[in-house]
Amino acid sequence: MTRRDTHWIVGPGALGRLIGLRLATRAAPSPAVILIGRRRLPVEQSLVTPRGETLEAAVNTATLKALPAIPPRVVHLTTKAYAAEEAHLALAPHLPVGTPLVLWQNGFGCQPRLSRRHDGPVLCATTTEGAYLDDKAAGDSGVVHAGHGETLVGALDGRHAELADELAATLSAAGLPARSVADIRQRLWQKLAVNAAINPLVARFRIRNGQLRDRPFRPMVETIIAEVAAILAAEGITPPGVTGVEANASAEAIEGWRALVWRVVEGTAGNRASMLQDVLAGRPTEHDAILGPLLAAAAAHRLAAPHLTELADRLRERELARSRNPC
Ligand code: KPL
């Protein structure tokens, strides 16, 4: 194994393992993959494809405290948003200068900060691939690739297009269709808008995404969409398919956000959203990365966002209660 083709995957949750195992089981030449977590994972890992096939792979594993000797060609940071900067801090001193970093986090919190701090090219990725860890089926050694999606990659400052093209080609060849884009900031905010309209509500009421279509939840979603649309208009973020600065404040833009959110609710009706899964498992949630940037933008533009504020307050209180009474 050489540096040339080695991908370090830091944060081997469902997404990290999906990327790692897709790369490792890709037709030759498959890149070498090292899964790096807080604890060492079993070497033998399996991936259940959306068609139900099981792909097996032996991957190298390591921990943040005992990093591999082989330097990476690229590092994928796939931790939850709230853990990304701490993981980067542990990792950065051990990376050769100029090592490319790919950030796979939800929201828009750590991406600008790490893009400034990292000593090398930084790409951001956003994906609609569906994956979960199935501990019952595979213990600690498997991930289920639940549904195909699309991955978009790019740098916040629009640089490193060649690297983004190369990464998109590598991911696509591994069965994760990917495209390099010049407007990843827009794309990250678009996903954040969807997450903000769905995740805090389903986590608060402990419901599946599809239940948002019914009363009493539907009007709550509409209220959140209206607040999010106003904030994003002020930030110059347009919904997919709607372009132009003037379009931002228009009825067309609000309809664009509504269409996007309800399309995702429909498409993921049976899902328990990631924030609900975190709440049910007693884990921290990504509320800071999702609601934090929206509330900061609302404050900067002097816009009221009472419903988003209330949802953020509740999630923050839950976090405080969790840290006082860890189970
Ligand atoms: O991305 C998601 C999540 O669960 O975090 C959505 C789109 C809300 C699907 O469940």
Side-chain angles (χ1 to χ4, degrees), residues 189-279:
W189 276 99
Q190 287 167 353
K191 174 123 191 256
L192 180 153
V194 170
N195 286 144
I198 298 178
N199 284 2
L201 285 174
V202 295
R204 172 166 169 196
F205 295 106
R206 301 187 176 219
I207 53 175
R208 288 185 192 259
N209 296 356
Q211 290 174 268
L212 291 174
R213 293 173 295 192
D214 307 323
R215 288 204 158 263
F217 309 115
R218 193 174 188 98
M220 298 181 195
V221 179
E222 292 288 353
T223 305
I224 296 294
I225 294 173
E227 285 186 9
V228 169
I231 298 168
L232 293 187
E235 274 292 302
I237 307 289
T238 49
V242 179
T243 49
V245 173
E246 274 170 34
N248 267 333
S250 70
E252 194 195 347
I254 295 178
E255 276 315 303
W257 291 119
R258 293 188 60 235
L260 175 65
V261 169
W262 289 117
R263 199 162 57 237
V264 175
V265 168
E266 204 61 47
T268 62
N271 281 18
R272 282 204 178 98
S274 55
M275 199 176 279
L276 173 58
Q277 291 184 41
D278 290 338
V279 165

Side-chain angles (χ1 to χ4, degrees), residues 55-112:
L55 309 177
E56 311 275 355
V59 289
N60 291 290
T61 61
T63 66
L64 271 173
K65 289 206 169 126
L67 287 167
I70 302 140
R73 161 79 182 99
V74 55
V75 174
H76 300 264
L77 196 54
T78 53
T79 62
K80 290 278 192 179
Y82 51 77
E85 286 166 89
E86 201 182 319
H88 182 263
L89 217 56
L91 199 63
H94 307 281
L95 295 176
V97 171
T99 302
L101 176 70
V102 189
L103 301 174
W104 288 84
Q105 283 65 37
N106 274 330
F108 197 72
C110 63
Q111 292 91 337

